Amino acid sequence: MPFKKVQTEKLSIAVVRQIELLILRGILRPGERLPAERELAERLGVSRPSLREAISELQEQGLLTAKAGSGIYVAEVLGSAFSPALIRLFGSHDEAVFDYLSFRRDMEGLAAERAARLGSDSDLKVVQAIFDKMEAAHARNAAEDEAHLDAQFHMAIIEASHNVVMLHMMRSMFDLLRQGVFYNRQMMFQQRTTREAILDQHRAINTALQARDPAAARDAVEQHLSFVERCMQDQQKAQRNEAIAQQRLQQAVRT
């Protein structure tokens, strides 16, 4: 018979498993600092030697890292998704921008659909809270804050979809966007009319999620990202037109 004696689990192993799950589920995020040793041991209900053993194991796994004089942090594990050479290619070819937006439209549409069905009440409260902050930033005309909250809003939806593979993949994609690899998100929030449209689109997404309407949530996300794609196309066209106009100006000055 396929039975084995039940073994009492070492406390350090239980700690390792708990922290692993927190990282896997995206609750502990890359770059986040863990509480001080005494506090963390008390929260976990283990001795400090058991905690040190667990931390050491997680450091060997590459999930945690120590910073001298600062503490223990969740390792920056997202950068391994794409090689530096591929990131440079993404940043130097326009077609990568539109493939990126198409990929996001598919993935985030699915995430919104899942979030409407599977997200907990607390998940949807997080989405609502971020949207409320977006409205406040919009009212203050704080474009930089609004752009930052835009990323938080989309990631909150992905987190609410409760798919850990999608979560970490999309975090990696958003990290590249934060670095400006694909395009400068803040430029999207410079024009008043664009900002108004984007806020309305986020409102439609949030309304569908709060109503737990999967089809409407997916449709709202897809419409929003299609709008972003059109904005990027218009921006690239405007840049090309300006380059041509500059050439004409130079020619006119010479003659």
Side-chain angles (χ1 to χ4, degrees):
M1 298 295 288
F3 299 108
K4 296 180 181 179
K5 288 184 178 180
V6 175
Q7 301 291 327
T8 301
E9 188 173 62
K10 287 177 63 177
L11 287 177
S12 62
I13 294 175
V15 172
V16 166
R17 289 183 176 174
Q18 183 174 156
I19 294 176
E20 282 178 340
L21 282 174
L22 290 173
I23 294 172
L24 178 66
R25 293 168 179 167
I27 298 168
L28 284 176
R29 305 182 178 204
E32 187 169 346
R33 184 180 181 276
L34 267 59
E37 183 181 277
R38 181 189 299 276
E39 180 185 351
L40 185 54
E42 289 177 357
R43 287 193 192 183
L44 292 167
V46 299
S47 67
R48 293 171 75 173
S50 291
L51 176 60
R52 290 190 199 112
E53 187 177 346
I55 296 295
S56 177
E57 170 65 23
L58 289 162
Q59 286 179 279
E60 288 182 14
Q61 292 180 25
L63 293 174
L64 297 180
T65 185
K67 295 183 181 180
S70 181
I72 303 296
Y73 292 78
V74 179
E76 295 285 355
V77 295
L78 296 182
S80 61
F82 302 103
S83 70
L86 188 55
I87 291 172
R88 284 193 294 273
L89 279 177
F90 286 159
S92 59
H93 293 275
D94 289 347
E95 67 183 80
V97 172
F98 299 107
D99 283 348
Y100 166 79
L101 288 169
S102 177
F103 179 80
R104 274 188 61 190
R105 186 164 49 237
D106 291 342
M107 290 297 100
E108 292 189 45
L110 176 61
E113 188 178 83
R114 287 176 56 89
R117 286 192 296 106
L118 305 175
S120 69
D121 290 344
S122 294
D123 286 321
L124 298 186
K125 285 178 182 176
V126 171
V127 175
Q128 180 67 58
I130 296 171
F131 178 73
D132 291 343
K133 291 179 182 179
M134 290 180 72
E135 285 192 310
H138 185 84
R140 297 195 313 271
N141 200 28
E144 187 173 344
D145 290 347
E146 207 169 347
H148 179 68
L149 288 163
D150 174 272
Q152 288 189 22
F153 181 80
H154 285 272
M155 279 308 308
I157 295 170
I158 292 164
E159 289 169 353
S161 73
H162 291 284
N163 183 305
V164 295
V165 174
M166 182 185 292
L167 169 64
H168 290 282
M169 178 179 64
M170 294 306 293
R171 271 208 182 145
S172 182
M173 298 293 286
F174 269 88
D175 191 54
L176 294 183
L177 183 60
R178 180 185 58 80
Q179 296 172 34
V181 170
F182 293 107
Y183 61 89
N184 185 344
R185 172 191 265 110
Q186 291 186 19
M187 290 183 65
M188 299 287 296
F189 291 87
Q190 297 303 315
Q191 293 186 348
R192 181 75 185 180
T193 54
T194 301
R195 289 176 60 228
E196 291 283 358
I198 290 175
L199 184 66
D200 287 343
Q201 291 158 17
H202 285 137
R203 182 179 293 108
I205 295 168
N206 182 55
T207 298
L209 287 170
Q210 302 303 331
R212 292 193 175 276
D213 186 334
R218 182 168 194 158
D219 182 63
V221 166
E222 290 176 348
Q223 288 193 38
H224 165 59
L225 288 168
S226 292
F227 173 83
V228 173
E229 183 175 16
R230 290 193 299 274
C231 287
M232 293 304 304
Q233 289 170 339
D234 290 345
Q235 182 181 339
Q236 289 188 359
K237 184 176 180 180
Q239 289 172 342
R240 287 194 298 269
N241 290 346
E242 175 61 18
I244 293 169
Q246 288 288 339
Q247 290 176 329
R248 288 177 179 150
L249 177 61
Q250 291 171 5
Q251 185 66 19
V253 170
R254 289 195 194 100
T255 58

